Each structure stands twice: as C-alpha cells, then as structure tokens.
Amino acid sequence: MSDIKAEVIEAATRSKAAAATLRMLTRKQKDFALNAIADALVANESSILDANRIDVDDAIKRGTDAAIIDRLTLNSERLAAIASAARDVCALPDPVGDVIRGYTLPNGLEISQVRVPLGVVAMVYEARPNVTVDAAVLCLKSGNAALLRGSSSAHHTNVALADVMRQALASTDVPVDAIVLVPGTSHESVEVVMTARGLVDVIIPRGGAGLINSVVNGSTVPVIETGIGNCHVYVDAAADIEKAVAIAVNSKTHRVSVCNAAETLLVHKDIAAKFLPALLSEYKKLGVTVHANPALVGFCKSAGVSYEAVTDADWAAEYYSLDIAAGIVDSIDDAIHHIQKWSTGHTEAIVSQDVEATRRFVAAIDSAAVMVNASTRFTDGGEFGFGAEIGISTQKLHARGPMGLPELTSYKYIVTGDGQIR
Amino acid sequence: MSDIKAEVIEAATRSKAAAATLRMLTRKQKDFALNAIADALVANESSILDANRIDVDDAIKRGTDAAIIDRLTLNSERLAAIASAARDVCALPDPVGDVIRGYTLPNGLEISQVRVPLGVVAMVYEARPNVTVDAAVLCLKSGNAALLRGSSSAHHTNVALADVMRQALASTDVPVDAIVLVPGTSHESVEVVMTARGLVDVIIPRGGAGLINSVVNGSTVPVIETGIGNCHVYVDAAADIEKAVAIAVNSKTHRVSVCNAAETLLVHKDIAAKFLPALLSEYKKLGVTVHANPALVGFCKSAGVSYEAVTDADWAAEYYSLDIAAGIVDSIDDAIHHIQKWSTGHTEAIVSQDVEATRRFVAAIDSAAVMVNASTRFTDGGEFGFGAEIGISTQKLHARGPMGLPELTSYKYIVTGDGQIR
C-alpha cells in the first residue's frame, strides 16, 4: 500500500468511526456544534484569510483567470456570510428520525421506516472554498461525517477552514472527525476515496464535467451525479409572447455560469414570426450570440443579433456564456424528440397556454425538473424552499434535482414485535 | 466494437426507446399487458417446458447439484404459479404519478414532486427462471423497461419465457421491447450492460456474493446492491427466555438458504446460564452446528450440540446452512461493536424486555432492518406487505431493505407558473 493510500484509508476510517457517534446525536447537540463552528470561523478570521492569501497569490503567479481568482478569494465579508449560513442551518428541521411511513401488520408487528444518516459522505469539489464549510455544515446537521476533498488551488484555505471547524468541535459532543479533509492533493488520494467501499457511503462530485465524469467512471462507492445542465426552453405555438420573451431572456441571461441556465431554445414554427423578432431584439441588447438552425437564420439577420450556424456540438454544449443554440421546430413532438436526444436531464421548460401541450410535454420529458411557464433558473434548493442545497442531482437513483437535508439521509426499517416468528 | 458489444448496445438502445413509451402509459394499459403475459405463459406451457427440459438435461449431464437442478426446473404447476403472480401484480397500485410532495411557493410557483419510472432497469441474476418473469412484470407495472441477463444455465428457458412475453405484448399498447433479453451468455455481454451509462439507468444484481461484487466493482451504471445477509440475533440480559429461544431458532433454522436467515448469535453473559441450555437443546434436535467463542464452548459440551471453535471467517460467514457463529458478550455495547464490525447491513435483531436496551440497540445499529423481539426472517417484501419484491437492498443510497414497486421509481419536480422569472 502506498503512503498516500494508507493515509487516505486512515482518514476515511476516522470518518467512519465519527459517523457511528454522529448517528446517535440529538438535534440540540448538532445545532450547538453548528453555532460553535460559526463562532470559530469569525473568531479565526485572520488565520483563515492569511491562508487564503497564499492560495490567491499562487493563483495570481500561475496567471489564473480573474473570475476564478475572484471565486477563490475570501474576505471579511465573505467569511461572515459563510458563518451566517452555518447558523441558518440550525433553524432547519433535523431530517434524522423523521418517520417516512409507519404501519402495523396483521401479525402485530409494528413497522416504521425512519430516516437515518447516510454515514460517511465524501465531497469532491473544485475551486470555491465556501463549499468546504457548506458541505461540512449540511453533513453535520444531517448526522453524516464529511470527508472533504477540495481542489489543490484552494488547499491552504481548505486546511485552515477544516482546522478551525475541527477545533470548534473539540468542545462539543460532536467528534472532531465529523469533518475530515482528505490528506494530500494528488489524484491518487481521490482514487482511494472513490474505491473506499465499506468506509465511504456515498461520493458527491461538484464541479465541471471532467471532474464529474472521472468520479462516475472511477468509483465503486455509490455516486450522486450533480450539476450537468444542458437546459432547454421550448416556446410552443400557443405561448403567451410576453411570458415567452421574459422566460427565454431570464433562463439564458440572468446568470450564465450556472447549471440551471438555458443553453438551447426551441421555437414552434407557427409562433416564430411573432415571437422571434421580440426575443432577438432583447438578445441583441444583452449581447447574446445565437447558434441558429437554418430556419432561424433569417430571423437573426433581420434582428441584427450576433449568430452562427448551429452544429451538433452546439446542441450538446453547456456554454456557461452568452451563447444559445436555437432552432425552429415543426411540432411539439419534434421539440420533445430533440430534448430527449440532447438533454442532460437537468431542467427543461415549456411556455404555452395550451393545457394539452403542457400535459404532453410534462409527461414526455424525463428531466429532474420540468418548468411550465417559468424560468429554468428556479431549479435550485433555495428557490424550492429547501433552505440549503448540497447540489443538484441529474441522476435518477436516490435523489433527483435539488438536494437538501433529507436527500442526505437514508432510512432503516424498525420492526417491533413481542416474539413473532415465521 | 466487438460483435457482442454491438449487439448488447443495440438491445439496450431498444430498451431505452421502449422506456420512453412506457413512461407515458396508463395503469389500465399496463395491467392489460400484465394479464396478456399471464395468459400467454399458460397458453405456451409446452414450448416453455420443452426449452426448460434442455437446460435441465444439460445441468444433469454436467453433474449439477440436485438442489440447483430443482431450482432450475419448471413444471406445469410452477409455471401456473408464475403466471398467477403476474396477475397479482395488477392488483397493486401503480406507483407512477404518485405525488410525494406538493406545495406552492410565495411567488406563486406550484411545485409537485411526482414519481416517475427509473427508465431502463437491468437485472443480472442467477439460476431461477421465475426471476425472468417476476422482474419483467414488476418493471412493466412500474413503467420501466426490463433488460434481463439470466445465467447461461437457464438460457433456453429464459429465451422461451422472454419470447412468449414479448409476443404477448405485441397485441397491447406496451412496446415489445419493454422486455429485452441481453444477447449472448458471455461475461462480455454483462460488462457491456454494466458500462452502458446513458442507456441503462440502474443495474440490480441478484445472486451470490461473487456476482454482486463483480457488478458493484465493474459498473459505471448506478447499482443497487442486494441480498448479502450476515444477520445477527442479540439476546440481551433482559430477554424473555421463551421469546429468545423461539426467535433464535426461527431466525436460524426456518429456511437456511435465504439472506434474512441469522448467521450469528450473541448472548449477554448475565442470561447465558438460563438461556443457552434451552436454546442449545433445540439446536441439537434440529442439527445445528455452533461455531462457539471460548465462553460458550462449555455450554455446547453440556448440551451435547455439535460445535467448533469460532474463527474470524465464521463471524464473517453467510453459511446458508445449519451452522451459526455464536458468542457470549459482556455487555450490549460489546454486542453492538461486534455487529458494527461484522454486519453486512441487512437485518439484526435484539431480544429484550428492557426499553433502554432496545432504544440503544435500534439507534446504534446501522442496518436496513432492526428487529425488536421478532425473527430476522421478517425482512421481506411479502412479509412487509409490499405485495411484491424485486430484491432486498443492503446499500444506503436510493432504497434500503425490501424493494417493492415504489423503489423501482425515481421522481421529477413539475413546476407550474404563469410567467415567473428570477
């Protein structure tokens, strides 16, 4: 066994031991620890910001993109916001112990299906150091041990944040190993986590498609795939033009760097002449580039909006930019087939006043969220009222769509009898 | 691409296309097809039994164990029972469309979390040909396409059953590719299914530990691990002796070849002298061999029961036989620690009249089912009142314990607005 492997296995073993204790703690004990963490983050501001400065300076030396440096950078205000978010989690109900279902069998056995923590939740994530705290806090509240592997570019910050949080736990009933940072920053350490079946109960990757695919393909530990979003907006023949323009604009341009932003627009041919001039003049103002199918090119020319001919790569693209693939379709079924072919199963929207069309679309589309006359941007734990979000699942197993605290739990059956045998 | 790979991918692609249709069918359409399948199985008895005869003759020629040949063998009565089970599934509620949760946001958006089929469910299983029909029927009822890979020893039977079922579907609204047998019997064909991410939504292995581990380690498709059961019975200091004997006997001996049979017995030292003589005389009559820890050996000698010294291999064993590992423990916490070390997370039982002991055991044990004063044999979809069972999950993600029709579904969020944007 390599040194790295031995170290990571040792870390995961500590997480597993902590999980056995965490599972049995009360909400009061966990909330007390959450407040202690929030206090400690504020009290240790200077050491955290010093560590962050090292990561930021390194990133600047490497010539890192300014937007990424901004995501990496902590300051007093941002750290206070992170601590405040940890306090907010105290106000959320504890999912552990929730009875999902309960009933009594004819033989008198009483069956309860009760939420329990998953156990050890490994998070593998990129860039933003706030994820280190967010993930630790949500895992703690839901009774899970957090095994955290951030990116090497935020390594000093992550070490400082984890140290502060662990020191805070030392004076609480929560074991310090409720929060463990995976040792090292090599790829090997991630590989050990991904194959630590029996120690790690679930692994949640958060980051770009490369990271997520690498975890999905390399893990023997169960994975929850998150956040790949090639989201579609379909404007039906029976759409309300004003709503359709607002939704197509908001879905694309409200924030382009997020997974619930729209990447493709499909327009029914019968409404194209009325809808597209209104939309494309807005897109022109906002600096959107349209990757247009042949039927749509003429509208782009007339509107004077920036455009290119669409390719298969465009239909598949998550631009995370002010680009959108767009096409005129002959029917709602053509739109559905297009989406079935290219969607990543995140969010698709229909704009229509026709109940038959919306029923058909909702039934046929197999995505985590289907929006009827609303922006794709609403697929979000905060917007859904969950109070917190650990990620947005784009797989069908376990959890789908925004994942809050209940999605960080499993359940067990408690069967109570008075001597029943078969 | 090899010929086998191309064939399996083609088969899985047909399954995926069928899933897109299945998702939109009504309960009436699915129940009609289930009855058509039941009718066809009975009507085509002779061709099915002829095919089964080939598999059975082959197995006899290979010198296969009589018990395995019995599991492989179909006859008129068994086929009628399989058809009858398919009809029974019609009576179960359709999980698809069930609204798990629904609420309205302050901005007027209406959110519904609605059960939908998983999509393409691949089953990889051994020996018994009834699984071919059971799995197809449960998948169909829950709106999933079934991609089936049975063992090569039942190949002729499985082909015959699948052909009959598919022919029955031809005169219904359900696409024939709702039921697809994976082509070929090579290991390569299983490997292609396990890595067909994007075509296959979930893979459920059913069989021995070798099969399950091979699927768990080789799959990039999400797996539901099933049926590995090293189940424990703990007899507490405060146990009712009569109940404890009945539960320890029933859990071990009612049916030894199943995953919910007990494989380890732990006895609190304070009750050993009262409990063990009564239990061991029963075990002696029933032919049980006790793999005893040192403290327990004396009791075995006195009772005259067959015994051996227990080893770590025994604590880990799923015997599937009239053997049981057994030990005297000093405390409930010792029992809990032993179980935490050796359990496969299936089912553990405590026998005790002490509420503090049962509370502690239930909270600390991290298994799919925890029995209080009841036999481990109750962890079963039929016993739990599910009406049907596709397997018993021993993982924490998605489903845990017995899996019925709802566990064969995912969900999606349907968000209905009237033009909301962020």
XYZ file of all heavy atoms in Angstrom, chain B residues 189-258:
497
model
N -20.934 -9.732 -22.379
C -22.244 -9.101 -22.534
C -22.668 -8.406 -21.234
O -23.282 -7.345 -21.262
C -23.292 -10.108 -22.997
O -23.526 -11.078 -22.001
N -22.331 -9.002 -20.088
C -22.648 -8.361 -18.801
C -21.834 -7.073 -18.657
O -22.345 -6.041 -18.213
C -22.354 -9.297 -17.608
C -22.704 -8.606 -16.289
C -23.140 -10.574 -17.729
N -20.567 -7.149 -19.053
C -19.705 -5.963 -18.942
C -20.232 -4.796 -19.769
O -20.144 -3.640 -19.344
C -18.276 -6.302 -19.383
C -17.500 -6.990 -18.267
C -16.156 -7.530 -18.738
O -15.823 -7.378 -19.937
O -15.454 -8.108 -17.898
N -20.770 -5.093 -20.922
C -21.311 -4.016 -21.754
C -22.513 -3.381 -21.064
O -22.649 -2.151 -21.029
C -21.690 -4.538 -23.161
C -22.291 -3.416 -23.997
C -20.476 -5.135 -23.864
N -23.374 -4.208 -20.466
C -24.539 -3.672 -19.748
C -24.075 -2.782 -18.580
O -24.593 -1.683 -18.377
C -25.435 -4.818 -19.212
C -26.532 -4.268 -18.295
C -26.048 -5.592 -20.370
N -23.062 -3.251 -17.859
C -22.597 -2.534 -16.667
C -22.013 -1.158 -16.984
O -21.949 -0.290 -16.117
C -21.549 -3.351 -15.920
C -22.088 -4.658 -15.344
S -20.970 -5.430 -14.138
C -19.488 -5.673 -15.099
N -21.576 -0.983 -18.210
C -20.940 0.293 -18.569
C -21.782 1.089 -19.568
O -21.308 2.071 -20.126
C -19.533 0.050 -19.150
O -19.644 -0.889 -20.228
C -18.592 -0.520 -18.099
N -23.052 0.673 -19.750
C -23.913 1.348 -20.739
C -24.590 2.558 -20.111
O -25.812 2.702 -20.136
C -24.926 0.362 -21.306
N -23.778 3.428 -19.536
C -24.286 4.652 -18.910
C -24.938 5.520 -19.985
O -24.399 5.693 -21.062
C -23.122 5.403 -18.256
C -23.579 6.244 -17.102
C -22.458 6.824 -16.294
N -22.989 7.870 -15.475
C -23.371 7.722 -14.198
N -23.215 6.573 -13.602
N -23.896 8.726 -13.547
N -26.124 6.049 -19.672
C -26.854 6.814 -20.679
C -27.933 5.965 -21.338
O -28.923 6.492 -21.824
N -27.715 4.653 -21.368
C -28.750 3.746 -21.892
C -29.459 3.032 -20.747
O -30.675 2.862 -20.764
C -28.134 2.704 -22.843
C -27.592 3.216 -24.177
C -26.916 2.083 -24.953
C -28.716 3.821 -25.017
N -28.668 2.583 -19.779
C -29.223 1.835 -18.642
C -29.237 2.761 -17.424
O -28.238 3.404 -17.114
C -28.372 0.581 -18.356
C -28.896 -0.163 -17.138
C -28.356 -0.335 -19.581
N -30.386 2.852 -16.728
C -30.497 3.790 -15.598
C -30.060 3.181 -14.281
O -29.593 3.889 -13.395
C -31.932 4.305 -15.503
C -32.288 5.190 -16.677
O -31.799 6.326 -16.700
O -32.987 4.738 -17.593
N -30.264 1.876 -14.118
C -29.867 1.222 -12.881
C -29.643 -0.251 -13.173
O -30.281 -0.818 -14.065
C -30.918 1.420 -11.768
C -32.288 0.954 -12.200
C -30.537 0.723 -10.485
N -28.740 -0.860 -12.431
C -28.485 -2.286 -12.587
C -28.654 -2.935 -11.222
O -28.141 -2.439 -10.214
C -27.100 -2.528 -13.225
C -26.826 -4.001 -13.453
C -25.973 -1.926 -12.424
C -25.676 -4.214 -14.449
N -29.447 -4.012 -11.175
C -29.722 -4.710 -9.919
C -29.215 -6.149 -10.055
O -29.772 -6.927 -10.814
C -31.234 -4.723 -9.593
C -31.809 -3.295 -9.586
C -31.496 -5.420 -8.262
C -33.317 -3.228 -9.364
N -28.125 -6.475 -9.363
C -27.653 -7.851 -9.392
C -28.395 -8.684 -8.348
O -28.618 -8.217 -7.233
C -26.172 -7.718 -9.024
C -26.092 -6.484 -8.187
C -27.240 -5.584 -8.580
N -28.786 -9.887 -8.698
C -29.369 -10.811 -7.728
C -28.682 -12.145 -7.853
O -28.717 -12.781 -8.913
C -30.871 -10.994 -7.965
C -31.693 -9.953 -7.248
C -33.174 -10.138 -7.408
N -33.690 -11.353 -6.796
C -34.990 -11.647 -6.708
N -35.878 -10.821 -7.225
N -35.386 -12.760 -6.140
N -28.048 -12.576 -6.760
C -27.352 -13.858 -6.798
C -26.358 -13.911 -5.666
O -26.514 -13.245 -4.645
N -25.299 -14.694 -5.858
C -24.294 -14.871 -4.810
C -23.381 -13.658 -4.692
O -23.434 -12.724 -5.501
N -22.537 -13.695 -3.672
C -21.629 -12.577 -3.396
C -20.691 -12.316 -4.568
O -20.351 -11.164 -4.857
C -20.835 -12.850 -2.119
N -20.271 -13.362 -5.274
C -19.358 -13.199 -6.406
C -19.977 -12.355 -7.501
O -19.366 -11.398 -7.991
N -21.208 -12.697 -7.855
C -21.923 -11.937 -8.879
C -22.091 -10.482 -8.444
O -21.817 -9.544 -9.198
C -23.308 -12.560 -9.120
C -24.256 -11.726 -9.993
C -23.816 -11.750 -11.443
C -25.697 -12.209 -9.869
N -22.541 -10.292 -7.203
C -22.848 -8.936 -6.727
C -21.586 -8.080 -6.681
O -21.575 -6.938 -7.156
C -23.575 -9.004 -5.369
C -24.988 -9.546 -5.608
C -23.624 -7.645 -4.696
C -25.731 -9.989 -4.382
N -20.489 -8.640 -6.160
C -19.243 -7.864 -6.101
C -18.725 -7.536 -7.486
O -18.193 -6.444 -7.711
C -18.184 -8.622 -5.296
C -18.518 -8.610 -3.814
O -19.139 -7.668 -3.325
N -18.138 -9.658 -3.106
N -18.864 -8.464 -8.408
C -18.384 -8.212 -9.766
C -19.166 -7.059 -10.395
O -18.599 -6.192 -11.063
C -18.466 -9.509 -10.569
O -18.951 -9.293 -11.855
N -20.468 -7.001 -10.160
C -21.278 -5.913 -10.720
C -20.961 -4.586 -10.018
O -20.789 -3.549 -10.664
C -22.792 -6.247 -10.619
C -23.641 -5.048 -11.009
C -23.127 -7.444 -11.502
N -20.853 -4.631 -8.689
C -20.567 -3.414 -7.926
C -19.236 -2.800 -8.366
O -19.118 -1.585 -8.554
C -20.546 -3.732 -6.412
C -19.825 -2.649 -5.631
C -21.974 -3.900 -5.895
N -18.225 -3.643 -8.542
C -16.894 -3.136 -8.872
C -16.754 -2.759 -10.342
O -15.952 -1.902 -10.677
C -15.824 -4.164 -8.490
C -15.719 -4.316 -6.984
O -15.825 -3.337 -6.255
N -15.544 -5.536 -6.517
N -17.527 -3.381 -11.215
C -17.339 -3.158 -12.645
C -18.267 -2.139 -13.270
O -18.063 -1.741 -14.411
N -19.284 -1.703 -12.538
C -20.322 -0.867 -13.160
C -19.996 0.614 -13.126
O -19.530 1.122 -12.112
C -21.658 -1.063 -12.438
O -22.277 -2.230 -12.873
N -20.297 1.300 -14.212
C -20.359 2.759 -14.170
C -21.826 3.187 -14.095
O -22.129 4.310 -13.714
C -19.695 3.386 -15.408
O -20.335 2.880 -16.579
C -18.219 3.046 -15.465
N -22.726 2.270 -14.455
C -24.163 2.488 -14.251
C -24.433 2.379 -12.747
O -23.849 1.522 -12.087
C -24.952 1.397 -15.008
C -26.416 1.395 -14.622
C -24.765 1.534 -16.514
N -25.324 3.231 -12.178
C -25.647 3.088 -10.756
C -26.190 1.687 -10.432
O -26.988 1.137 -11.168
C -26.732 4.149 -10.534
C -26.528 5.159 -11.604
C -26.006 4.396 -12.784
N -25.708 1.133 -9.313
C -26.050 -0.225 -8.900
C -26.894 -0.172 -7.631
O -26.663 0.674 -6.771
C -24.769 -1.024 -8.579
C -25.110 -2.455 -8.124
C -23.835 -1.066 -9.774
N -27.862 -1.071 -7.517
C -28.472 -1.322 -6.207
C -27.988 -2.690 -5.759
O -28.280 -3.701 -6.377
C -30.009 -1.276 -6.253
C -30.486 0.097 -6.722
C -30.584 -1.576 -4.860
C -31.995 0.235 -6.802
N -27.187 -2.674 -4.679
C -26.604 -3.899 -4.143
C -27.677 -4.627 -3.336
O -28.372 -4.018 -2.524
C -25.437 -3.498 -3.232
C -24.572 -4.654 -2.822
C -23.386 -4.186 -1.963
O -23.100 -2.972 -1.937
O -22.784 -5.045 -1.321
N -27.818 -5.918 -3.541
C -28.898 -6.658 -2.877
C -28.401 -7.898 -2.167
O -27.386 -8.485 -2.538
C -29.962 -7.141 -3.892
O -29.372 -8.131 -4.747
C -30.505 -6.002 -4.720
N -29.136 -8.244 -1.129
C -29.209 -9.596 -0.642
C -27.994 -10.232 0.018
O -27.971 -11.445 0.161
N -26.970 -9.440 0.420
C -25.890 -10.054 1.169
C -26.281 -9.948 2.637
O -26.398 -8.846 3.169
C -24.560 -9.321 0.918
C -24.254 -9.263 -0.564
C -23.434 -9.978 1.700
C -23.782 -10.535 -1.185
N -26.482 -11.076 3.300
C -27.045 -11.010 4.646
C -26.291 -11.819 5.682
O -26.482 -13.021 5.803
N -25.416 -11.129 6.454
C -24.837 -11.740 7.643
C -25.626 -11.176 8.827
O -25.230 -10.198 9.444
C -23.346 -11.406 7.738
C -22.694 -12.033 8.961
O -23.273 -12.911 9.603
N -21.497 -11.581 9.301
N -26.773 -11.797 9.107
C -27.722 -11.257 10.095
C -27.401 -11.772 11.497
O -27.009 -12.923 11.669
C -29.151 -11.650 9.725
S -29.633 -11.109 8.068
N -27.585 -10.874 12.481
C -27.260 -11.188 13.874
C -28.515 -11.202 14.750
O -29.415 -10.380 14.558
C -26.306 -10.125 14.448
C -24.957 -10.094 13.801
N -24.771 -9.652 12.517
C -23.728 -10.477 14.261
C -23.471 -9.743 12.209
N -22.818 -10.235 13.240
N -28.515 -12.104 15.738
C -29.519 -12.065 16.802
C -28.772 -11.826 18.113
O -27.854 -12.590 18.451
C -30.317 -13.389 16.891
C -31.233 -13.387 18.122
C -31.135 -13.610 15.620
N -29.166 -10.752 18.821
C -28.560 -10.470 20.123
C -29.598 -10.729 21.219
O -30.678 -10.127 21.219
C -28.078 -9.011 20.194
C -27.785 -8.554 21.605
C -26.780 -9.177 22.364
C -28.507 -7.529 22.204
C -26.527 -8.784 23.676
C -28.246 -7.121 23.507
C -27.263 -7.754 24.238
O -27.019 -7.374 25.533
N -29.255 -11.628 22.137
C -30.134 -11.937 23.263
C -29.606 -11.166 24.480
O -28.524 -11.455 24.992
C -30.178 -13.458 23.523
C -31.039 -13.765 24.755
C -30.732 -14.178 22.287
N -30.387 -10.164 24.862
C -29.973 -9.225 25.912
C -30.144 -9.846 27.304
O -30.873 -10.833 27.477
C -30.850 -7.970 25.785
C -30.463 -6.870 26.755
O -29.258 -6.521 26.783
O -31.335 -6.384 27.482
N -29.477 -9.231 28.283
C -29.622 -9.672 29.679
C -31.085 -9.702 30.106
O -31.503 -10.574 30.875
C -28.839 -8.739 30.595
N -31.880 -8.770 29.559
C -33.282 -8.659 29.975
C -34.233 -9.355 28.993
O -35.395 -8.989 28.865
C -33.654 -7.195 30.115
N -33.730 -10.364 28.282
C -34.596 -11.058 27.311
C -35.615 -11.947 28.015
O -35.339 -12.495 29.076
C -33.744 -11.902 26.365
N -36.761 -12.111 27.373
C -37.721 -13.143 27.759
C -37.193 -14.448 27.153
O -37.015 -14.548 25.931
C -39.093 -12.780 27.190
C -40.140 -13.851 27.432
O -40.016 -14.957 26.839
O -41.064 -13.597 28.198
N -36.922 -15.434 28.026
C -36.237 -16.650 27.567
C -37.030 -17.372 26.474
O -36.472 -17.778 25.448
C -36.009 -17.632 28.749
C -35.163 -16.979 29.840
C -35.387 -18.943 28.247
C -33.694 -16.951 29.569
N -38.325 -17.484 26.671
C -39.149 -18.230 25.716
C -39.116 -17.569 24.329
O -38.919 -18.211 23.308
C -40.580 -18.279 26.259
C -41.436 -19.371 25.631
C -42.826 -19.409 26.289
O -42.903 -19.160 27.516
O -43.800 -19.640 25.563
N -39.287 -16.233 24.335
C -39.235 -15.490 23.067
C -37.844 -15.612 22.447
O -37.696 -15.762 21.225
C -39.554 -14.010 23.299
C -41.012 -13.740 23.634
C -41.218 -12.251 23.950
C -42.643 -12.033 24.468
N -42.810 -10.675 25.019
N -36.818 -15.532 23.279
C -35.446 -15.570 22.767
C -35.154 -16.913 22.098
O -34.531 -16.961 21.029
C -34.450 -15.309 23.894
N -35.609 -18.005 22.708
C -35.387 -19.327 22.097
C -36.129 -19.408 20.763
O -35.566 -19.815 19.736
C -35.852 -20.461 23.053
C -35.828 -21.804 22.329
C -34.961 -20.500 24.296
N -37.396 -18.982 20.781
C -38.194 -19.062 19.549
C -37.547 -18.240 18.432
O -37.457 -18.695 17.280
C -39.614 -18.568 19.822
N -37.084 -17.025 18.758
C -36.515 -16.137 17.734
C -35.160 -16.664 17.253
O -34.870 -16.649 16.058
C -36.423 -14.691 18.280
C -37.847 -14.112 18.381
C -35.531 -13.817 17.400
C -37.956 -12.832 19.194
N -34.325 -17.156 18.177
C -33.013 -17.678 17.769
C -33.175 -18.948 16.928
O -32.394 -19.182 15.991
C -32.146 -17.950 18.995
N -34.168 -19.758 17.234
C -34.410 -20.970 16.435
C -34.974 -20.587 15.072
O -34.488 -21.019 14.024
C -35.380 -21.932 17.176
C -35.893 -23.018 16.229
C -34.678 -22.546 18.380
N -36.013 -19.753 15.068
C -36.674 -19.402 13.812
C -35.735 -18.655 12.880
O -35.676 -18.932 11.667
C -37.917 -18.556 14.114
C -38.746 -18.270 12.876
O -38.650 -17.198 12.299
N -39.543 -19.244 12.455
N -34.978 -17.706 13.416
C -34.080 -16.897 12.585
C -33.034 -17.775 11.902
O -32.660 -17.547 10.756
C -33.384 -15.827 13.423
O -34.317 -14.910 13.955
N -32.546 -18.797 12.631
C -31.505 -19.659 12.044
C -32.084 -20.761 11.171
O -31.577 -21.010 10.081
C -30.672 -20.311 13.152
C -29.600 -21.304 12.678
C -28.467 -20.667 11.895
C -28.480 -20.818 10.416
N -27.362 -20.216 9.716
N -33.143 -21.424 11.626
C -33.484 -22.722 11.016
C -34.724 -22.718 10.131
O -34.968 -23.685 9.425
C -33.693 -23.803 12.105
O -34.882 -23.495 12.848
C -32.506 -23.869 13.050
N -35.530 -21.629 10.143
C -36.774 -21.652 9.374
C -36.515 -21.916 7.900
O -37.221 -22.669 7.244
C -37.529 -20.334 9.573
C -38.836 -20.256 8.844
N -39.015 -19.502 7.721
C -40.027 -20.865 9.070
C -40.269 -19.620 7.295
N -40.903 -20.439 8.094
N -35.498 -21.283 7.360
C -35.077 -21.544 5.981
C -33.636 -21.074 5.896
O -33.376 -19.864 5.983
C -35.978 -20.780 5.005
C -35.884 -21.303 3.591
C -37.002 -20.755 2.719
N -36.613 -20.872 1.312
C -37.076 -20.114 0.335
N -37.993 -19.195 0.595
N -36.657 -20.266 -0.899
N -32.715 -21.993 5.740
C -31.299 -21.615 5.898
C -30.699 -20.971 4.655
O -29.668 -20.318 4.732
C -30.419 -22.829 6.304
C -30.830 -23.356 7.673
C -30.439 -23.932 5.250
N -31.335 -21.137 3.481
C -30.703 -20.723 2.223
C -31.033 -19.288 1.837
O -30.760 -18.872 0.715
C -31.162 -21.658 1.114
O -32.565 -21.538 0.946
N -31.616 -18.515 2.750
C -32.083 -17.182 2.381
C -31.264 -16.096 3.090
O -30.628 -16.342 4.118
C -33.578 -17.009 2.731
C -34.432 -17.854 1.798
C -33.841 -17.377 4.184
